[in-house]
Amino acid sequence: MGELRKDPILGRWVIIATERSKRPGSYLVSDDCKQDQSIQCPFCYGNEKMTPPETAVVRDPQTEPNSQGWQTRVVPNKFPIMDGSQPFDKKNKGIFEFSSNFGRHEVVIETPHHCKEIDNQTLEDVQTWMRIIQDRVEQLYLDEKIKYVLVFKNKGKEAGASLMHPHHQIIATPVTPKRVREELLGSELYFNENNSCVFCDMIKDELKQNERVVEQTDNFICLCPYASRFPFEMIILPKKHSLDIFEKHIKDNLAELSALLQRSIKRLTALIGDVSYNYIFHTSPNRIKLPDHWKHIEKDFHLHIEIFPRVTKTAGFEWGTGFYSNPTSPEEAAKDLREVKYDI
Amino acid sequence: MGELRKDPILGRWVIIATERSKRPGSYLVSDDCKQDQSIQCPFCYGNEKMTPPETAVVRDPQTEPNSQGWQTRVVPNKFPIMDGSQPFDKKNKGIFEFSSNFGRHEVVIETPHHCKEIDNQTLEDVQTWMRIIQDRVEQLYLDEKIKYVLVFKNKGKEAGASLMHPHHQIIATPVTPKRVREELLGSELYFNENNSCVFCDMIKDELKQNERVVEQTDNFICLCPYASRFPFEMIILPKKHSLDIFEKHIKDNLAELSALLQRSIKRLTALIGDVSYNYIFHTSPNRIKLPDHWKHIEKDFHLHIEIFPRVTKTAGFEWGTGFYSNPTSPEEAAKDLREVKYDI
């Protein structure tokens, strides 16, 4: 018999459909990075001129900008979905509202190696791009017209990646996105009722119930959320109440966070193969010149990384209701992820 | 340069990313129905015993239930995602809430023909299953514990279909789903400000602007929504303010609605091939014993069918923000859909 579960932050219902229960072996896997090795990859060594000029870079100081010799490289997206230079300004056309698409869209090329995904990189590689991501978010938030910066990774075709070379994307938006606003409203509601952060309380309960924890370190925890939408969905949170990806506590413990993120992906691929996945960083909205009625987010909101393998399709039911149906319970998923053997 | 557009009902932002502009020919197509012809299909003639017994059927009166001789057949889903017999009742486990998954999950097998999708059926075929869908929703709403009934179609693998034989699904839920509640709240807000139905006003503005209308008939309209999330997304609405899929105005004009739905799908497949798509019927929530504070939905809410081809992947950006990025403007999409030649 299945069960309905409510996400404690978003109030979103998920159906844990155990009647359709699926084990790791029954999910699709794919081997993506080799699919486009024949095309000229704009993210590989020697093709630096195929991208717009570097915004940020870690490279051998002996080398020229936009040439070989880099380790991690940030460039504007050549086909940006947000890049308007005119500030956000709503206009009307009859009942309809529109605006210029003010924002930024950057690509973080993690490594020069076309097929060296996060689970095959060194810990130092991971730390390098994590540090550059922190820097870019911090820099973008200096512009008060930027209300939110989303960092995300699309790995594999099923996850929407159009280039298989390992990279992250950063999109800066002129409004706080709906999905983030829902988290802010849900966590405000919880705070008003309980006088505590819903994320902090969730961590406490997860440690107490000890059924969905994949791994914890001194400062971070990785778990399968109680109301997981997808099989083998994970969330990584700092145990201490933290808001920004670039705040001191996170910077001080970046090696630990990088290693945990890498191990979580290693567990996933050890379990179900070279799978497509997305992950997103939900950092705080821009707190420069935060209006008074948003000040509460400093108490309510809590940095987290959501990781979700793309092994199921969202269909009419999900799109029509906002419910999700998940054929693998998070308890089973956490057990499998916890116990799987992966390369150190 | 792209543009940000706001959905007038949901307040959801969409990026019309014309920098990435894509023409119909550049989308993926697939030919799905033949993929599983080798397996024994539980929806084909002669395999009636492979499904649970019929809930409703249109069949030759000379034939036995659950045998050959039917034209359209409704059966409970063999692997239901909602089917709890215990009423919805929230319980707590620490911070987390859960409930039994009270509800119903049925399958409407449109036709005995494994590969005869809606665009290849006769208009009479379409009317037959449309009528049976109306009946089932009306019947399910007699149970006041059912708060919402979603009717949807998953066509093709990309749209989440696991069986290629033409069918719809009906899921009855014990709570009003989040996505429907968002429409109710958005349309209430608009009504309170404008003293009119946002859907009715949208139809008026679409007819006036005349850029996104695919087709109109006496009583219905098909258009590409102003803030379309997906390329070639369409919405079909009754022009007259209507709430339920089974109300008299819709029943009286069912042939017209069936023909318009069929033509819309014909336009889509003529344009981009045998594509995967979903569509969903957003009918009113159950209005039996509607609490007083929900009475306003009779003025605000407006029946509609959302059709979206699955030619793009939702990636980290969409999941992390709730924004959508659409590389084909609805104006181009409507023009292409309007002008395409399709078989009558």
Side-chain angles (χ1 to χ4, degrees):
Chain A
M1 189 65 80
E3 184 174 89
L4 278 174
R5 293 185 180 190
K6 194 177 190 175
D7 182 279
I9 298 124
L10 293 166
R12 176 173 61 198
W13 287 96
V14 168
I15 302 152
I16 305 297
T18 46
E19 302 259 332
R20 298 184 156 197
S21 181
K22 279 190 161 188
R23 303 287 308 149
S26 60
Y27 291 108
L28 293 170
V29 296
S30 57
D31 183 13
D32 283 315
C33 80
K34 291 173 194 78
Q35 292 176 12
D36 65 352
Q37 270 190 317
S38 56
I39 64 152
Q40 207 180 14
C41 171
F43 298 167
C44 277
Y45 261 16
N47 299 340
E48 289 76 8
K49 295 289 187 287
M50 289 176 74
T51 69
E54 293 159 11
T55 314
V57 71
V58 176
R59 62 160 61 248
D60 180 339
Q62 311 290 322
T63 59
E64 293 292 312
N66 304 305
S67 72
Q68 297 187 34
W70 52 274
Q71 187 185 340
T72 295
R73 198 168 175 249
V74 183
V75 298
N77 193 308
K78 201 169 178 180
F79 304 100
I81 58 173
M82 305 286 268
D83 72 338
S85 52
Q86 296 304 308
F88 180 75
D89 178 27
K90 277 194 274 189
K91 295 186 186 69
N92 279 80
K93 184 174 180 182
I95 194 180
F96 304 116
E97 284 182 274
F98 65 101
S99 162
S100 70
N101 67 339
F102 177 79
R104 299 282 172 271
H105 188 173
E106 299 185 340
V107 179
V108 181
I109 311 167
E110 296 159 31
T111 163
H113 302 285
H114 189 80
C115 283
K116 211 171 189 174
E117 263 302 343
I118 172 168
D119 42 336
N120 290 315
Q121 295 170 17
T122 65
L123 178 55
E124 204 202 330
D125 293 336
V126 179
Q127 268 181 271
T128 303
W129 54 254
M130 282 288 273
R131 203 177 301 114
I132 216 166
I133 282 172
Q134 285 183 322
D135 287 349
R136 287 309 299 152
V137 179
E138 195 166 13
Q139 286 298 315
L140 287 164
Y141 271 171
L142 294 178
D143 182 350
E144 62 187 84
K145 297 191 297 301
I146 297 295
K147 299 300 180 208
Y148 198 75
V149 174
L150 184 82
V151 178
F152 62 99
K153 183 169 171 81
N154 302 335
K155 192 274 176 185
K157 283 220 161 62
E158 285 302 313
S162 49
L163 289 167
M164 299 307 140
H165 191 121
H167 67 285
H168 284 67
Q169 295 181 67
I170 300 178
I171 296 186
T173 61
V175 291
T176 304
K178 178 180 163 75
R179 172 73 162 69
V180 177
R181 237 167 40 227
E182 287 173 356
E183 285 184 1
L184 297 174
L185 291 172
S187 54
E188 181 184 10
L189 196 68
Y190 184 92
F191 195 96
N192 291 347
E193 279 177 16
N194 300 280
N195 204 34
S196 54
C197 162
V198 63
F199 296 90
C200 291
D201 283 5
M202 185 179 76
I203 295 168
K204 268 184 233 154
D205 263 27
E206 287 291 6
L207 286 170
K208 204 186 299 169
Q209 297 183 17
N210 199 27
E211 288 185 292
R212 286 169 297 274
V213 177
V214 177
E215 183 184 351
Q216 57 167 323
T217 61
D218 288 347
N219 293 289
F220 300 93
I221 187 166
C222 173
L223 48 90
C224 294
Y226 177 74
S228 290
R229 293 160 292 178
F230 307 110
F232 307 103
E233 182 177 343
M234 288 178 270
I235 185 170
I236 293 177
L237 306 109
K239 289 181 184 172
K240 189 180 137 193
H241 188 71
S242 313
L243 276 85
D244 292 308
I245 186 70
F246 52 83
E247 71 182 60
K248 188 172 179 305
H249 174 62
I250 309 298
K251 280 185 175 163
D252 288 348
N253 296 290
L254 191 67
E256 190 182 319
L257 176 59
S258 302
L260 180 59
L261 175 60
Q262 187 182 39
R263 279 198 302 275
S264 304
I265 300 294
K266 281 186 177 187
R267 291 176 191 278
L268 192 62
T269 55
L271 196 62
I272 44 175
D274 188 13
V275 67
S276 292
Y277 57 82
N278 299 105
Y279 58 78
I280 57 164
F281 290 69
H282 267 178
T283 192
S284 167
N286 197 348
R287 290 186 288 138
I288 288 185
K289 303 212 180 169
L290 198 63
D292 279 349
H293 62 278
W294 277 115
K295 286 279 187 226
H296 64 83
I297 71 172
E298 306 197 344
K299 293 180 293 182
D300 312 341
F301 192 72
H302 195 123
L303 170 69
H304 56 279
I305 305 174
E306 299 178 16
I307 307 171
F308 37 100
R310 301 295 296 274
V311 291
T312 49
K313 303 274 183 192
T314 48
F317 177 64
E318 285 79 4
W319 289 106
T321 61
F323 279 38
Y324 291 87
S325 170
N326 178 356
T328 301
S329 79
E331 293 76 19
E332 285 179 292
K335 184 170 188 294
D336 286 337
L337 289 163
R338 210 162 45 226
E339 294 178 357
V340 71
K341 286 192 174 42
Y342 56 90
D343 290 336
I344 308 290
Chain B
M1 190 64 82
E3 185 174 87
L4 279 174
R5 294 186 178 188
K6 194 176 188 175
D7 181 279
I9 298 126
L10 293 167
R12 174 174 62 198
W13 286 96
V14 168
I15 303 153
I16 305 296
T18 47
E19 303 259 333
R20 298 184 156 197
S21 181
K22 279 191 162 188
R23 303 287 308 148
S26 61
Y27 291 107
L28 293 170
V29 296
S30 57
D31 183 13
D32 284 313
C33 80
K34 292 173 195 77
Q35 292 176 13
D36 63 355
Q37 272 190 316
S38 57
I39 64 152
Q40 208 181 12
C41 171
F43 298 168
C44 278
Y45 260 16
N47 298 340
E48 288 77 9
K49 295 288 186 288
M50 290 175 74
T51 69
E54 293 159 11
T55 315
V57 70
V58 175
R59 62 160 60 248
D60 180 338
Q62 310 292 322
T63 59
E64 291 293 310
N66 303 304
S67 72
Q68 298 187 33
W70 52 275
Q71 187 186 341
T72 295
R73 197 168 174 249
V74 183
V75 297
N77 193 309
K78 202 169 176 178
F79 304 101
I81 59 174
M82 306 286 267
D83 73 337
S85 52
Q86 295 305 307
F88 181 75
D89 177 28
K90 279 195 273 190
K91 296 185 186 72
N92 278 81
K93 184 175 180 182
I95 194 180
F96 304 115
E97 285 181 274
F98 66 100
S99 163
S100 70
N101 67 340
F102 177 79
R104 298 282 173 270
H105 187 173
E106 298 185 340
V107 179
V108 181
I109 311 167
E110 297 160 30
T111 163
H113 301 286
H114 189 79
C115 282
K116 210 170 191 175
E117 262 303 343
I118 172 168
D119 42 337
N120 290 314
Q121 294 170 17
T122 65
L123 178 55
E124 204 202 329
D125 292 337
V126 179
Q127 267 181 271
T128 303
W129 52 254
M130 282 287 273
R131 203 176 302 115
I132 216 165
I133 283 172
Q134 286 182 321
D135 287 348
R136 288 309 299 152
V137 178
E138 194 166 13
Q139 286 298 314
L140 287 163
Y141 270 172
L142 295 179
D143 181 350
E144 63 187 85
K145 298 191 299 299
I146 297 295
K147 298 301 180 207
Y148 198 75
V149 173
L150 185 81
V151 178
F152 62 99
K153 182 168 172 83
N154 303 335
K155 192 272 175 187
K157 283 221 161 59
E158 285 303 312
S162 50
L163 289 168
M164 299 306 140
H165 192 121
H167 67 285
H168 285 65
Q169 294 181 68
I170 300 177
I171 296 186
T173 61
V175 291
T176 304
K178 178 180 163 74
R179 173 71 163 68
V180 177
R181 236 167 40 226
E182 287 173 356
E183 285 185 2
L184 297 175
L185 291 170
S187 54
E188 180 184 10
L189 197 68
Y190 184 92
F191 195 96
N192 291 346
E193 278 177 16
N194 301 280
N195 204 34
S196 54
C197 162
V198 63
F199 296 91
C200 290
D201 283 4
M202 186 178 79
I203 294 169
K204 269 183 231 154
D205 262 27
E206 287 292 6
L207 286 171
K208 205 186 297 170
Q209 298 183 19
N210 199 26
E211 288 184 292
R212 287 171 296 276
V213 177
V214 177
E215 182 184 352
Q216 57 167 324
T217 60
D218 288 345
N219 293 289
F220 299 94
I221 187 167
C222 173
L223 46 90
C224 293
Y226 177 75
S228 290
R229 294 160 292 178
F230 307 109
F232 307 102
E233 182 176 342
M234 290 178 269
I235 185 170
I236 293 177
L237 307 108
K239 290 181 183 171
K240 190 180 137 194
H241 188 70
S242 314
L243 277 86
D244 292 307
I245 186 70
F246 52 82
E247 72 182 59
K248 188 172 179 305
H249 174 62
I250 309 298
K251 281 186 174 163
D252 288 348
N253 296 289
L254 191 67
E256 191 183 318
L257 175 60
S258 301
L260 180 60
L261 175 60
Q262 187 181 40
R263 279 197 302 275
S264 304
I265 299 295
K266 281 186 176 188
R267 290 176 190 278
L268 192 64
T269 56
L271 196 62
I272 44 176
D274 189 13
V275 67
S276 292
Y277 57 81
N278 299 105
Y279 58 78
I280 57 165
F281 290 69
H282 267 178
T283 193
S284 166
N286 196 349
R287 290 186 287 138
I288 288 184
K289 302 211 181 171
L290 198 63
D292 279 349
H293 63 277
W294 277 115
K295 287 278 187 226
H296 64 83
I297 71 172
E298 306 198 342
K299 292 180 294 182
D300 312 341
F301 191 72
H302 193 123
L303 169 69
H304 55 280
I305 305 174
E306 298 179 15
I307 307 171
F308 37 100
R310 300 296 295 274
V311 290
T312 50
K313 302 274 184 194
T314 48
F317 177 65
E318 285 79 4
W319 289 105
T321 61
F323 279 38
Y324 291 86
S325 171
N326 177 357
T328 301
S329 79
E331 293 76 20
E332 286 180 290
K335 185 172 186 295
D336 286 337
L337 290 163
R338 211 163 42 226
E339 294 177 357
V340 72
K341 286 192 175 39
Y342 57 90
D343 290 335
I344 309 289

